[in-house]
Every structure is written in structure tokens, then in C-alpha cells.
Amino acid sequence: MSNATKLLALAAAALGPVLVRAEPVVFTYTEAVYIDSKEGPLRSPEGVACDDRGALVVADTGNSRLVTYAVREDGVGAGTELKVPQLVAPVRVQLDPQGGTVVLDRKGSRLLRFDAKGAYVGAVEPKGDLPGTFAPVAFKLDADRNVWALDGAGRVVVLDPAGAVTRTLALPKGVFTDLAVDAAGTVYAVDAGQAMVWSAAKGATAFTSLSKSLKDEMSFPAYLVVAKGKLLIVDQVGHGVVVLGTDGSFQGRQLSYGVSEGLLQYPGQLCLTEKGDVFVADRNNNRVDRYTIAR
Amino acid sequence: MSSSIGILLALSLAAAPAAGSRAAPAQGKLKLKPGASGQVCLECHSDFQKLLQKKFVHTPVRAKDCTGCHSPHASEHGKLLAAEGGEVCLSCHSVTPAAAKSTHKPVAENRCRECHDPHASDAQFNLVKAGNDLCGKCHAGIVTAAKDAKFKHRPVVSSGCTACHEVHGSAKGATLLKADVPGLCTSCHKVDRPIFAQQHGGYAVGTARCTSCHDPHGSNARSMLRNNVHPPVAGGQCSKCHEPPGSPNKFKPRQAGMALCRGCHNQVVNAMLDKSRVHRAVTEGDSCLNCHTPHASSEPKLVKANLVAVCGACHGATIARQARSETPHAPMKDGRCAKCHDPHSSSSALMFNAKDSVELCGRCHDWQKHSTHPVGAKYKDPRNRNLTLECVSCHRAHGTEFKHLIPYATTTALCTKCHEQFRR
């Protein structure tokens, strides 16, 4: 081995772990989804959900519909439209473990449930003692099919699969745009105004700040997901994805502004699979972008 | 006394005369000319003779002690100053209270010369201008409005801004006020007189924040109410929105949130809620009062403050981007966010109040007269099959770090994003 090679190997050994720490998640562009099976273009899609069985559901907000796709080894298949009168402005979508879908429709702030065949089941209405108006602005489903809703009344409301209110948790003052819950039951919420993440452990009665204000790192965080021991945050006005540790530490930023494939314009929701596929609802680019974070 | 304390005492006694009369031993040692600390300077800087004739001369200047502030040979600071900007002043002048609730920005930034002439002036305290004219250098909008107001506040006319405001820092109030509101106001306006209750519809507002309705600088509205008054307030119909003055909860609104406003503005509310994208500020928290004030405002449509502040409360990053932009976009710079966005609701993703950016931008920019680049629904964006060419295909309306609101450093970099054949 020459001296130069030895030096390079030494530098790689020394810098390798540093680089891995600084850039723990790397997005690599794969493909983009523009249309449904009838060549109908997506328009301002804000929501996207996916699972490990190859299902991909797009909340095609501007067209007031859902479009479902099958993700195969060779790419995303043709999309099937799901359009019902109850869908006016679908903005967030989640797949439940039984194959059903829950959609947040911004018009009227309603959570709508669809079964595994795509049939409309009904609106998710809280049952039990819940003061004030329930007007969800974001939500997540956990493994037990409980609905975790970020309510416009400044609280997190947890509903069991039957709709019964099982827990409420007041949010701090802020402009909260999304929440996420991990397998341990810790709930995270993101305040876009201060670019801060808050958390509450299972059983906690109040949120505490997890991160400091990350205004230098994020412009307007709009979506949050916990995956692979990280918090992935969609920075809608910053046109990118910010990666935080579950301790709130800033660990990197991926993607940037642009119109060409692999770039974002006002992204909305993001979903990812165990395999490392990531789909981003690229709202102002009228498409869904597919990336991989698998190494 | 221990030996070390003795040594320290001896040292300090030896040092004391040197500190008290700094120039004397140095003059001998450095063989300085008589008057080297200032009189000698005037031999070259003869224009200073004229300054010495002014009404108010800074003490070290009058004593011809130029070296009090300047280093005679060389300095790392402009004008051979002994320290940077106002730090020189702070070596003699301590002007802000220890626990200031508010500090004047130039003071906090050591920009003493914004207001004071360090040598001499015809205005007291060596001010560069006298009275309200000085404040008007930065606060022109307020000073001019106060001067032109139909209903003037007497202290503003007779004693100027300093009747109510401190000039450097205040330990007692925000915005440099000499005391908090309403305490400052009630030191002149007696709230226990029957006429006071009568003027306020029988409501006991003696402890309320006067400036939420009244403009303390003067106004064109009766009773010095802020220029834009909510009609029920102007008409003295307080109980249209509040419980009657004699009731136990007299200040409580008759209904909560938007429901109260709907009483008069039902059609407006219905129209805004009918659109697919309703601004969260409309429906959450204090609803209408997130952005509007219910009584009176200096801003049109009873908006709480300039839209840069109101919108910036949630969209601070967007406002900050504009502030950093190489080319400022006029509507945003001036706080006219509603020129392009509907603040209540819209069917467009970016809350535009037009069908698309071509129509929107065309209201101010006659691009059709100077541009031949195709834009509009007929022209596909070559980078994205689902987009057509619009103004926002090349420009970002809230500003970028580059000129002409484009997102790339050069026009070439922008154009070759589509016209790839010309890429070098």
C-alpha cells in the first residue's frame, strides 16, 4: 500500500463515523408519480400514505379524491381513483393495519374512514366527554388503530378504534401543525411558528420541549414522522426534510427547492416503508416523489 | 496585616496619582508640547473653532481634551476613536437603567451619534436636532401623523415625545414609556370622575389598556380613538357585543369567538368558510381576534397591526426571507400581504386571491409589454409534465438571496434549467 493510499485510508477511518453521524439519513431519488390510470394528472397533492405490502394512497387535494397505487419492484403501478362526495379537500391520509384508510379532509376538518376495499365507512366522531369543538388539523394512527388527533382547539385527542375519547393532552401555545407517536407511546408535536418539537412520554400530563427553536434549520415544519429512531420533519416553506434525533438534536437536512425531479416545491405529507422507500406529496409540483433511504 | 495585602496597598497607592492625572507624568516623559491633549489638534482642525461657538459644547471638547475620546496616533476604529462607536461614550455616560423593561434601539446598539453630536450642537444635550424633529428622523410616520392629527394629544404638542417616553431606556414601561399603561394615562386623566364612566358607556374601564382604543399620539377620530373605529364602538353600542354595564360579567362578550362576529358579518363568514382552504387563524384560538382588534385600530379593517407583524407572528420565516432578499418585493416590504393572498380563505394552495400567478402578478406587472417568454395554460414546463409556465416558474415572490426574485445566482443558471442545450 502506498503512503498516499495509507493516508486516504486513515482519513476515511477518522472521518467515516463523523460523516455518518452528520448525515444519518440520505434520500436518493427514484421516480415520480404524476398521473392516475386514465392519464389524469395529480393536482396539488398534499397527502400520501404507504405500507410494507406495497400500498400507496395519495390524497390528491386539488382533484378532491384519493388515488391508490401498487408499488412493485419495477416501479409504481397505475393509479385507481377513489372519489366520493365526502372528499372535498383531502390533505392527510393514513393506512391502518387492517388495510383501511383514514383521511383528514380540510373542508370541515373531518376525519373520514374507508374500508380495505375503498368503500366510505363514515366520519370519525369522538364519543364521550370532550368539551369544545373537535376540529382535527392533523392525525396519526398507531399500531392498535387508535387515532391520535391534533385538535384545532389546542390539544391532542386520542380516540380508540370505536371513537371513544381515551386521552386528551393540552398543547403549549403555538402554531402546531402535526404530531407523531412512537412504539413506546411517546407523542411528539411540532410547532411551526417557533420551529420547535415538543414531546410527552406515555402517561405524561403535559408536553415538554424536546428541541430548542430550530428556526435556523427549518422555515415552516408542517409534517412529522417517527421512523428508524429519527424524527423526519417536512419543512414545507423550506422545501426539504429535516432529520432530528429523538432527543431533538439536529442531524441533517435533505432535499431542496426546485421543479425538476428530485426537488420539492411546498411538500406536504411524507411516508416511508420498512424497505426504505420514501414517498413525498410534492404539492406545488403536482406530483408524488419517490426516494429511497436504503443504503 | 499580611505581607501580601501590604504589598497590594503600596502598589495601589503608587498607582493612584497616575490614574488621577494621566497626562501630567506622560507629558514629561514623552516631552509633549503644552496643549498636546487638544489645543495642538486645533492648529490643523481649525474648523473646530466654529463648533466651540455653539450653544452646547461637549465638556471634553470645551476643555480641549481631544484625547479623551481620540487616540492621537493610530487606532483600530474610525476617526481615530479610542473605542468603537458609542463604546467611547459609555466610558463616561451610563444612560440605561439597570433593569430596563425597554431600551431605545440606537442605545442598545451603541449608536449614540444617531441622536447626539459628540462635539457641539445648538440643541440641548448636544442633540443633532431639537424636539420631535429628532425622533421624526426614524419615527417619521408617528411624528407626522401626530402633527397632522385633527384631534391632538396636548402633551405631544406642548412637551413633545419626552412627555411620555424616556429617551434611552425605561425601567417602568414597554416602548420606553415612563410608566405602564394605564398608569401613565391616569396620572393626567382621572378615572374616578362621573364623566369618565359616562364617556365609556357606563363600563368601568379605568384599569383597561387605554391604547387598545385610543391613539396616544393624536387621531382624526373623535375622542382620539384610533383612526379606524368599529362602528358599534363609534356609536357607543358597547352592549351590542358585551354584557350590559351593570351585570357581574360586564366585559364578557355575549358570544364566544366567531359566533359573536357572525351576528353582523354572517355573509362574510359564510363566504370564507365555503372555500376549500380556510386559514387556520380564522377558525382556531381567538378566531377573528387572532388578527383583528374589536374596538379601534390604526390599520384598515381593524387589523391589529401592520401585516408584516400580524402575518409574521406565524409566518416569521417568510417575512425574514423578504428582509434578506436582494430584490425586495414591494407589497411584502410594505406589509400588503393581502394584495396577493386572501387572509381568510381561498381555493388555491398558496391562498392566492387570483386564479393563478399569471393573473395575480399581472395586476401590477405589465409583463406582456416587455417579455416575450411564453407563460400561461398553453405552455408546459419542460421540467415537470404537470406544471404550466407561470411567473412563479422563475420567480419567488417572497424574495431570494439573488436579484430579480430568481432562485439562482445568475440568469444563465435559471434559463438553462429548461434550455439545457445552452448549458456550459
Side-chain angles (χ1 to χ4, degrees), chain A residues 7-155:
Chain A
L7 270 173
L8 275 174
L10 266 171
L15 288 173
V18 176
L19 291 175
V20 167
R21 275 200 301 275
E23 203 90 53
V25 177
V26 177
F27 281 52
T28 307
Y29 175 75
T30 311
E31 64 178 314
V33 180
Y34 286 93
I35 51 170
D36 62 17
S37 59
K38 293 174 184 165
E39 297 276 309
L42 301 179
R43 209 171 106 209
S44 304
E46 295 193 36
V48 64
C50 49
D51 66 16
D52 298 326
R53 291 168 293 187
L56 173 69
V57 182
V58 176
D60 189 13
T61 313
N63 287 320
S64 304
R65 64 177 184 170
L66 301 180
V67 186
T68 58
Y69 298 88
V71 181
R72 301 186 303 252
E73 284 298 317
D74 59 342
V76 176
T80 307
E81 175 180 277
L82 172 58
K83 198 159 182 161
V84 296
Q86 288 82 2
L87 283 174
V88 180
V91 288
R92 294 278 186 268
V93 54
Q94 296 286 328
L95 291 167
D96 80 23
Q98 293 182 1
T101 307
V102 180
V103 181
L104 171 64
D105 195 285
R106 187 171 41 226
K107 176 76 178 167
S109 296
R110 299 202 316 154
L111 290 171
L112 310 174
R113 199 183 279 280
F114 295 82
D115 68 16
K117 289 179 181 166
Y120 175 61
V121 177
V124 177
E125 302 284 1
K127 294 173 190 139
D129 186 24
L130 186 68
T133 309
F134 178 64
V137 293
F139 79 105
K140 289 290 187 318
L141 296 179
D142 66 18
D144 299 323
R145 300 177 68 231
N146 295 308
V147 176
W148 295 69
L150 185 79
D151 185 11
R155 61 194 170 185

Side-chain angles (χ1 to χ4, degrees), chain B residues 87-401:
Chain B
E87 280 177 33
V88 159
C89 313
L90 297 180
S91 60
C92 293
H93 302 278
S94 172
V95 292
T96 46
K101 274 190 177 174
S102 54
T103 306
H104 203 188
K105 199 172 176 212
V107 176
E109 294 172 356
N110 286 344
R111 291 184 286 119
C112 308
R113 291 176 59 202
E114 294 274 313
C115 300
H116 299 279
D117 187 313
H119 297 120
S121 165
D122 285 327
Q124 200 181 8
F125 307 120
N126 278 18
L127 292 171
V128 294
K129 281 186 181 182
N132 291 1
D133 288 346
L134 175 64
C135 308
K137 269 178 61 186
C138 294
H139 306 282
I142 296 175
V143 169
T144 309
K147 202 185 284 177
D148 298 343
K150 193 171 162 190
F151 300 95
K152 293 182 168 58
H153 195 194
R154 207 180 302 155
V156 178
V157 179
S158 60
S159 308
C161 310
T162 54
C164 298
H165 295 279
E166 300 283 4
V167 289
H168 296 118
S170 170
K172 294 179 180 167
T175 58
L176 299 177
L177 286 172
K178 289 183 171 174
D180 259 334
V181 177
L184 182 65
C185 311
T186 56
S187 62
C188 293
H189 300 274
K190 301 300 167 204
V191 297
D192 50 358
R193 293 181 183 163
I195 184 99
F196 182 84
Q198 194 186 327
Q199 285 169 330
H200 292 92
Y203 287 89
V205 294
T207 54
R209 190 167 183 80
C210 315
T211 50
S212 65
C213 297
H214 300 282
D215 191 327
H217 301 117
S219 153
N220 293 325
R222 194 174 55 84
S223 307
M224 253 170 56
L225 286 166
R226 290 189 182 270
N227 280 344
N228 301 287
V229 188
H230 200 190
V233 175
Q237 300 164 293
C238 308
S239 54
K240 201 160 182 176
C241 300
H242 297 279
E243 298 286 343
S247 66
N249 298 316
K250 48 191 171 293
F251 293 120
K252 194 180 168 198
R254 283 180 178 273
Q255 283 178 288
M258 193 190 286
L260 180 67
C261 307
R262 262 184 188 275
C264 294
H265 305 282
N266 194 36
Q267 279 187 312
V268 177
V269 172
N270 283 346
M272 68 175 74
L273 295 182
D274 195 42
K275 293 185 182 159
S276 65
R277 179 178 291 269
V278 180
H279 193 191
R280 280 179 61 184
V282 170
T283 52
E284 292 178 16
D286 291 333
S287 189
C288 309
L289 299 187
N290 283 323
C291 302
H292 298 280
T293 182
H295 299 126
S297 172
S298 301
E299 297 293 324
K301 297 181 188 293
L302 294 177
V303 174
K304 273 180 176 175
N306 182 289
L307 288 184
V308 168
V310 174
C311 303
C314 296
H315 303 283
T318 303
I319 301 291
R321 182 140 60 90
Q322 156 70 25
R324 291 194 302 268
S325 179
E326 184 77 14
T327 304
H329 193 196
M332 227 194 135
K333 183 166 67 71
D334 303 339
R336 289 180 288 131
C337 308
K339 187 102 181 158
C340 303
H341 302 283
D342 188 322
H344 297 122
S345 63
S346 167
S347 299
S348 125
L350 291 170
M351 304 278 290
F352 284 163
N353 52 24
K355 173 170 64 65
D356 55 35
S357 68
V358 178
E359 181 191 315
L360 182 66
C361 304
R363 290 176 187 167
C364 295
H365 302 276
D366 55 348
W367 58 269
Q368 300 96 329
K369 291 182 186 167
H370 64 75
S371 170
T372 54
H373 196 284
V375 290
K378 282 195 295 183
Y379 303 100
K380 286 271 179 201
D381 189 320
R383 299 166 293 178
N384 182 326
R385 60 184 285 184
N386 277 1
L387 292 180
T388 54
L389 288 171
E390 292 187 31
C391 307
V392 291
S393 302
C394 298
H395 300 283
R396 298 191 63 196
H398 294 142
T400 71
E401 57 269 55

Side-chain angles (χ1 to χ4, degrees), chain A residues 270-285:
Chain A
L270 166 156
C271 70
L272 70 170
T273 66
E274 268 306 310
K275 267 173 57 186
D277 269 332
V278 178
F279 294 90
V280 181
D282 193 358
R283 187 187 75 185
N284 282 40
N285 274 328

